[in-house]
Amino acid sequence: MRKIHKVCVVGAGLMGKQIALNAALHGYLVMLNDSLPEAVGKAETWADEYLKGRVAKGKLTEEAAAQAKKNLFFTIDLEMAARDADLVIEAIIEEQSAKEALFRKLNELAPKDAILATNSSFMVSSLFAGCVDDPARLANLHYFNPALVMKLNEVVQGPHTSKETVDALMDFARNTGKDPVWVRREIDGFIANRIVRAVKNEACYLLEEGIATAQEIDTAVEKGLNYPMGPFRLMDLTGIDLSYLASKRVQDETGVKQPGFEAIKAKYEAGEWGRKTGKGWYDYTDQK
Ligand SMILES: NC(=O)c1ccc[n+]([C@@H]2O[C@H](COP(=O)([O-])OP(=O)(O)OC[C@H]3O[C@@H](n4cnc5c(N)ncnc54)[C@H](O)[C@@H]3O)[C@@H](O)[C@H]2O)c1
């Protein structure tokens, strides 16, 4: 298994730009690629501003910021970005056909022994095993938003993934300041998002049953369990629209009714999606 020195991150959106900069800050040579020139341009401006801000706050030395910038390259040329990568991290839109097409291209463009990882939260790497010659090199490397800050990486092993690939990704994660967890088998939602979902489902069930209000359930979870945020407050932050679409997807795929689905659906249909619309389980209109 080749040692990881050069990393190619494909997709310069919310996650990809942070994944790339995090690796660059930890000494890796990183090529950040996006198919849209404006996305590449925006990511470069964002990285410059982020580094400047860290230096201004005294969190990073000028030398470290300059070195990170030197380590990070931005390009729309996938061939150049992938051709001598030891690790490619896919962070493009959540669309299976787009990801399949990309893995087929990477199979041709990246070195034959490079590790290929997907950051997808919902798609397991098995879905792309048929797109590459050697799926032993393929796995999920799952980050959490904001990826520069959140310490967890989930390394998800598919039935096709070799243990060497898992070990190399665990080492890479540790070398980039993360605390990785080895997920030994593919499962929808992996670990952290399954736990969040279970807590959210139970909270919605209690609400639907009229046991307590959303605010009271949050208080119980925050004051009794010391969670930094109750499930309803968290839903307001991440967006009730996303919670609804995720629950609906599971319900449609499994045919199993998700507990508390109706409560979320009602909020979704009322356009009360949380902070982004000014109202969700809480009212934020006076905070705008
Ligand atoms: N947003 C989150 O909180 C989060 C958390 C963990 C994992 N993820 C996963 O990360 C991935 C990306 O999510 P995001 O929120 O960063 O999305 P995003 O929409 O912010 O960024 C996606 C980027 O991919 C680019 N792109 C699309 N097709 C491409 C292609 N073929 N080649 C190169 N670039 C292409 C787009 O131009 C865009 O800049 C998804 O798979 C998602 O499941 C997201």
Side-chain angles (χ1 to χ4, degrees):
M1 178 71 59
R2 57 199 284 152
K3 260 196 98 51
I4 298 174
H5 298 292
K6 293 187 182 163
V7 181
C8 165
V9 178
V10 188
L14 179 69
M15 295 302 287
K17 66 186 181 187
Q18 296 189 67
I19 293 169
L21 182 53
N22 186 60
L25 279 164
H26 287 85
Y28 288 88
L29 278 183
V30 185
M31 292 276 188
L32 178 57
N33 164 266
D34 200 286
S35 49
L36 293 180
E38 55 270 33
V40 173
K42 269 195 202 158
E44 184 158 13
T45 307
W46 168 85
D48 287 343
E49 278 168 10
Y50 175 85
L51 291 171
K52 239 189 266 159
R54 298 296 283 172
V55 172
K57 280 188 193 147
K59 304 274 185 195
L60 199 66
T61 63
E62 289 210 9
E63 296 71 41
Q67 188 57 53
K69 191 69 217 295
K70 254 195 213 162
N71 290 347
L72 185 53
F73 300 85
F74 301 82
T75 178
I76 54 163
D77 183 345
L78 181 63
E79 185 174 355
M80 188 181 79
R83 75 175 161 225
D84 42 30
D86 306 305
L87 164 65
V88 182
I89 303 172
E90 172 276 308
I92 70 166
I93 40 162
E94 195 69 5
E95 216 179 273
Q96 190 173 336
S97 58
K99 289 184 194 278
E100 282 170 358
L102 176 64
F103 279 107
R104 268 191 220 103
K105 271 195 218 161
L106 290 171
N107 188 49
E108 299 306 321
L109 299 177
K112 288 295 164 208
D113 55 350
I115 292 177
L116 306 177
T118 172
N119 174 50
S120 177
S121 302
F122 299 109
M123 291 178 202
V124 289
S125 71
S126 290
L127 292 170
F128 315 116
C131 304
V132 298
D133 295 332
D134 177 15
R137 302 179 288 127
L138 185 65
N140 286 73
L141 176 62
H142 186 223
Y143 286 79
F144 290 78
N145 186 34
L148 273 162
V149 177
M150 300 300 282
K151 288 282 185 195
L152 180 64
N153 271 171
E154 291 170 326
V155 176
V156 187
Q157 183 172 20
H160 51 278
T161 312
S162 70
K163 183 62 172 42
E164 287 73 24
T165 296
V166 169
D167 292 343
L169 287 172
M170 296 287 285
D171 280 347
F172 171 75
R174 285 188 201 100
N175 292 338
T176 51
K178 303 300 180 196
D179 290 320
V181 169
W182 174 23
V183 182
R184 288 164 172 74
R185 194 153 52 83
E186 290 180 341
I187 184 163
D188 181 55
F190 314 141
I191 297 175
N193 285 342
R194 284 185 78 88
I195 307 273
V196 169
R197 194 195 298 161
V199 171
K200 185 190 77 186
N201 285 348
E202 185 59 31
C204 287
Y205 169 77
L206 292 170
L207 180 75
E208 266 184 3
E209 288 295 306
I211 305 297
T213 66
Q215 292 73 15
E216 287 161 345
I217 296 166
D218 274 354
T219 299
V221 171
E222 289 162 11
K223 305 295 175 196
L225 303 175
N226 257 2
Y227 280 31
M229 219 181 269
F232 293 104
R233 217 182 291 282
L234 181 61
M235 246 189 281
D236 273 0
L237 189 67
T238 53
I240 293 172
D241 52 331
L242 296 183
S243 297
Y244 169 73
L245 294 172
S247 296
K248 186 170 180 322
R249 186 182 58 85
V250 174
Q251 201 162 282
D252 290 348
E253 276 173 15
T254 62
V256 177
K257 187 185 173 302
Q258 295 296 290
F261 180 72
E262 294 306 324
I264 295 179
K265 189 175 174 208
K267 282 278 168 205
Y268 178 80
E269 287 179 346
E272 295 177 2
W273 294 358
R275 283 179 178 270
K276 63 174 93 169
T277 60
K279 197 166 184 221
W281 303 107
Y282 296 83
D283 198 330
Y284 304 93
T285 40
D286 58 347
Q287 294 178 27
K288 284 204 155 175

